Amino acid sequence: MNLPLPDVPEVRAVGLPRLTRGFDLAARLDVRTHLTAHGPLEPMAGERLARLAEEISLRGRGGAGFPFARKLRAVADSAIRRGVRPVVVVNGSEGEPACRKDTVLLNRAPHLILDGALLAAEALGARTLVVVVTRDSTEISLRAALAERGLSDRRGRPLRARVVRTPERLVSGEAAAVVRAVNGGPALPPGRRARASDAGVGGAPTLLSNAETFAQLAIAARVGPHRYGTAGVPSEPGTVLLTLSGAVARPVVVEVPTGVPLRYVLQLAGAPPYPQGVLTGGYHGGWIDSAAVHASVVSRESLAGAGGSLGAGAISPIGQETCPLGEALRVANWLAAETAGQCGPCKLGLPAAAGGLADVIGGGGPAALEALREVTGAVRGRGACKHPDGSARFLTSTLAAFTDDLAAHVLHGGCGRETAGVLPLPGPAETAGPAAGEERVLVDWTLCQGHGLCADIVPELIRINPDGYPSVADAVVPAHLRGRARRAVRRCPALAMRIERTAGPVPGNDRSELRVPRRKELDGGRG
């Protein structure tokens, strides 16, 4: 089974390195080594910087791919119209288990990211810079980088800069959740759509973009648009950072020019020559099959044409030996547990979709498949944030990419293969902060009598199968469901359920497990 990815995997480059230039000089480029590798950087006026971003077709590298020039101009226009100073935010959140590209940059080349962020801050006249991170290693690296430049959050400075730590969760990396966290609230989407360029941090117009995006801006400002475009395809010039995991020899982050054949990048990471499928763009992305892999190149347009996505740059192949639907179910359960719990499509729909996929895999037949398609369609486009849409996209892509395997499960009850668990998911070692002390619901099938009360109490985690017995999602119990999950355990007439904690102490309780008393204990010890 695949282990969680390390913070800083091995790094390689295809062709001449740009973002990873100087990585052969040191494990982490301090400010002096950074300047040795990249040279100085001159400031730019706002419109000139926006034109540069347009000329290199710079889009956000966090997954959404929004044009950076449009975002820059929107913030500038809003700041001028309102007469307030804007804020610049570097989104270094990387709660995607299959992504490490931003973490690599934050750990090894923090000054390249700061170059781009400070360039934008100078162009906009911003006086506040915030870098948002999720891991110990990235926080340490960025705090050291700010100190090396003499930047701090003390009053009276021309530019106040600080680092903000958020939980390592998928939903915490969404732009609205980042702004909310910087403002002192929980790192969760607020449930309403608002543009940071109008009102972000402290209500000020905010330029918020991904860590790699700012690093790309710093590279382009140094070399100019013509030289920047000598690498990659004309429509998407430059290089991209990819994280390769799954069925590979070892996880690796690769800097590669756009236009390079995808099969070459997979070969570089030691992937199978004919993978059963490749998940592109991460767990909100899409699958492409083996035939499409050999026809695709690394670019947004090419991957989208094959049914995939460049997204946040995660590329995860799986081999022929594993059940692809089983692999998808592991991810679907994790996505359901990542819910912010703030809207029905996320709170109810995603666990129901994961349960529906489990029904299909378990031999539920055409009825189970139709139910899965129905719940997935009901989730799409109705969430308060983008998490339900991305999760629905992943499930829809799974059903479209593995039709042979799907037919085997629907028509014959299974494909005959075990689930190898090659797609990376967080493990107990990665659990920290509010996520410490994971809880899972377990059922003792020797006691369960199929009463179904548990499914009535917490339908987000427990569903009743066609055989009348509960199906429990193999997922961590989200914080907002813990109360009802414990109530379901207490209400079970057969005493067949329990909650186990996989890490960390129970708040207000030093036991590692919430144990259900045996019948003998409840009967006062009578035999």
Side-chain angles (χ1 to χ4, degrees):
M1 181 171 290
N2 216 17
L3 297 175
L5 301 186
D7 277 11
V8 184
E10 178 185 350
V11 179
R12 297 185 183 182
V14 176
L16 293 176
R18 290 183 172 183
L19 298 170
T20 59
R21 186 174 182 180
F23 280 20
D24 57 332
L25 300 176
R28 176 186 178 277
L29 278 64
D30 60 18
V31 67
R32 182 174 298 179
T33 312
H34 164 72
L35 290 174
T36 300
H38 292 281
L41 180 62
E42 297 296 327
M44 284 189 181
E47 184 53 34
R48 183 184 169 200
L49 190 63
R51 285 199 304 270
L52 172 67
E54 277 183 334
E55 289 171 348
I56 65 170
S57 301
L58 180 60
R59 290 177 173 268
R61 301 299 176 93
F66 193 83
F68 185 82
R70 285 175 55 189
K71 188 181 294 187
L72 186 68
R73 288 193 175 104
V75 172
D77 291 345
S78 181
I80 293 170
R81 184 176 64 253
R82 295 176 53 192
V84 297
R85 295 276 188 180
V87 176
V88 173
V89 176
V90 177
N91 187 358
S93 304
E94 201 166 41
E96 172 86 50
C99 289
R100 287 296 184 271
K101 66 179 184 68
D102 291 323
T103 304
V104 163
L105 283 177
L106 290 162
N107 274 280
R108 300 198 60 183
H111 289 284
L112 193 62
I113 298 167
L114 290 179
D115 277 350
L118 292 170
L119 193 68
E122 178 73 15
L124 290 169
R127 293 294 179 262
T128 302
L129 170 64
V130 184
V131 183
V132 179
V133 298
T134 57
R135 296 185 173 90
D136 289 338
S137 61
T138 50
E139 182 178 6
I140 292 169
S141 177
L142 262 297
R143 291 192 184 280
L146 292 179
E148 289 165 8
R149 289 179 178 246
L151 296 172
S152 73
D153 196 27
R154 286 189 297 210
R155 292 182 180 275
R157 290 187 170 259
L159 177 74
R160 298 179 64 182
R162 69 184 190 272
V163 176
V164 172
R165 179 76 176 268
T166 60
E168 190 178 335
R169 294 192 60 194
L170 188 61
V171 294
S172 298
E174 189 176 85
V178 169
V179 169
R180 194 178 184 189
V182 174
N183 283 333
L188 296 173
R192 65 183 187 279
R193 303 294 173 92
R195 294 194 304 177
S197 59
D198 291 331
V201 174
T206 300
L207 176 68
L208 187 150
S209 204
N210 166 264
E212 185 194 341
T213 312
F214 283 111
Q216 293 282 2
L217 186 67
I219 293 293
R222 281 184 166 91
V223 303
H226 176 73
R227 186 175 165 193
Y228 186 93
T230 58
V233 296
S235 59
E236 300 176 37
T239 65
V240 296
L241 284 178
L242 304 175
T243 307
L244 284 97
S245 63
V248 296
R250 55 186 174 276
V252 60
V253 170
V254 181
E255 182 181 8
V256 55
T258 57
V260 169
L262 180 59
R263 66 179 183 276
Y264 176 78
V265 179
L266 292 170
Q267 181 183 3
L268 188 68
Y274 295 98
Q276 185 174 187
V278 177
L279 181 60
T280 61
Y283 296 156
H284 279 177
W287 291 95
I288 60 177
D289 60 26
S290 185
V293 167
H294 286 263
S296 299
V297 300
V298 176
S299 75
R300 293 182 185 277
E301 182 180 2
S302 177
L303 293 177
S309 167
L310 182 59
I315 306 292
S316 304
I318 60 172
Q320 299 288 342
E321 73 286 347
T322 189
C323 172
L325 297 187
E327 294 287 347
L329 178 60
R330 293 176 62 246
V331 174
N333 282 327
W334 179 80
L335 290 170
E338 282 292 288
T339 172
Q342 299 181 137
C343 69
C346 198
K347 182 179 177 181
L348 301 174
L350 297 188
L357 181 57
D359 289 347
V360 171
I361 294 174
L369 178 58
E370 182 58 32
L372 173 58
R373 293 188 192 278
E374 183 177 346
V375 70
T376 303
V379 164
R380 190 183 299 110
R382 297 178 55 240
C385 71
K386 298 176 183 176
H387 181 51
D389 287 352
S391 303
R393 185 184 309 115
F394 168 79
L395 287 168
T396 301
S397 175
T398 299
L399 300 181
F402 301 108
T403 52
D404 290 346
D405 196 77
L406 184 63
H409 281 277
V410 171
L411 301 177
H412 306 294
C415 66
R417 290 174 291 184
E418 298 293 332
T419 301
V422 298
L423 297 179
L425 289 173
E430 284 193 337
T431 306
E438 292 179 345
E439 294 185 1
R440 292 179 184 269
V441 176
L442 301 178
V443 176
D444 184 342
W445 299 111
T446 65
L447 297 177
C448 180
Q449 298 174 10
H451 291 284
L453 288 178
C454 54
D456 292 336
I457 295 172
V458 59
E460 299 93 334
L461 293 175
I462 305 170
R463 304 170 69 251
I464 299 300
N465 281 334
D467 60 7
Y469 283 82
S471 173
V472 181
D474 181 20
V476 176
V477 179
H480 70 278
L481 294 180
R482 287 180 179 178
R484 280 196 284 146
R486 292 169 181 170
R487 187 160 70 249
V489 169
R490 293 193 300 268
R491 294 283 300 276
C492 178
L495 302 178
M497 301 182 66
R498 70 182 188 276
I499 292 178
E500 286 191 352
R501 301 185 68 88
T502 58
V506 180
N509 190 335
D510 60 359
R511 293 175 296 174
S512 61
E513 178 180 320
L514 298 180
R515 186 175 59 86
V516 178
R518 298 176 181 174
R519 292 178 186 275
K520 191 172 183 179
E521 294 172 345
L522 291 175
D523 292 337
R526 295 191 299 271

